Amino acid sequence: MAGKWVIGMGLCAALAAGSAWAAQPSEALVRELMQVMNVPGQFTVMNNQMASMMSQQLPCVPATYWQNYIDKSGQEELLTAMIPAYQHHFSSDEVEGLIKFYKSPLGQKLVAQMPATMAEAAQSGQQWGRQRTSDMFADLQKQGKLDGQGRCPGTGGAQGQ
């Protein structure tokens, strides 16, 4: 019964608005937003990070192999795959507002500074995580749940069991 009521209310709201889907941003509008947000530039950063990680994990593969992990074709595929998420979560008016913001001086500063900001924040998060893990291991050792080497006592040395 409740499901029918929700569907009925949704239908009424759609009819009252003319069409609930009319507010959905077009693909072109979402692509414009992605451009002013420098999403393709973020793909380049992601590509470099992926190449570095893969080179470390598979040193037998030349590092240059991974440099095209997200090539032009991959960028287009990723952009296209991301569009429905933006269309689902933002209306046309909201996307237009975001475009206006990202074209503003403050929006452009955000785009320019975000990679460095996120890198610094990630370092802080990693440092915090190492300290938190160390503190929790020390607490578990005090409780006798881990031995001096951070292993479960009496389990043949397996951690975290």
Side-chain angles (χ1 to χ4, degrees):
M1 180 75 173
K4 289 180 182 177
W5 182 81
V6 171
I7 291 170
M9 290 300 294
L11 181 58
C12 289
L15 291 172
S19 173
W21 295 274
Q24 183 182 48
S26 68
E27 180 177 332
L29 195 60
V30 172
R31 284 182 182 277
E32 182 180 352
L33 174 61
M34 290 175 162
Q35 287 300 316
V36 297
M37 290 174 59
N38 193 30
V39 172
Q42 294 170 24
F43 289 160
T44 301
V45 171
M46 287 170 48
N47 186 74
N48 292 341
Q49 290 171 342
M50 180 60 72
S52 176
M53 183 179 68
M54 295 306 291
S55 293
Q56 290 173 5
Q57 289 183 359
L58 298 170
C60 60
V61 178
T64 55
Y65 179 80
W66 302 108
Q67 288 302 312
N68 288 319
Y69 186 84
I70 305 176
D71 58 9
K72 287 289 183 191
S73 172
Q75 282 189 17
E76 179 55 32
E77 290 168 1
L78 274 169
L79 286 172
T80 299
M82 293 169 64
I83 288 170
Y86 283 84
Q87 290 174 319
H88 178 80
H89 292 281
F90 297 98
S91 70
S92 289
D93 289 343
E94 290 167 335
V95 171
E96 288 172 2
L98 288 167
I99 290 169
K100 184 176 179 179
F101 168 74
Y102 279 105
K103 285 184 175 181
S104 74
L106 180 58
Q108 288 298 294
K109 181 176 182 175
L110 177 64
V111 168
Q113 296 299 317
M114 191 54 65
T117 302
M118 294 305 293
E120 288 177 35
Q123 275 187 319
S124 297
Q126 289 170 355
Q127 183 179 3
W128 176 88
R130 284 190 297 273
Q131 184 61 52
R132 179 72 172 148
T133 300
S134 176
D135 293 346
M136 292 182 84
F137 267 67
D139 183 52
L140 288 168
Q141 287 172 335
K142 282 182 190 174
Q143 293 178 31
K145 294 184 180 186
L146 294 180
D147 66 18
Q149 288 74 42
R151 295 180 297 221
C152 294
T155 60
Q159 286 186 350
Q161 293 182 341

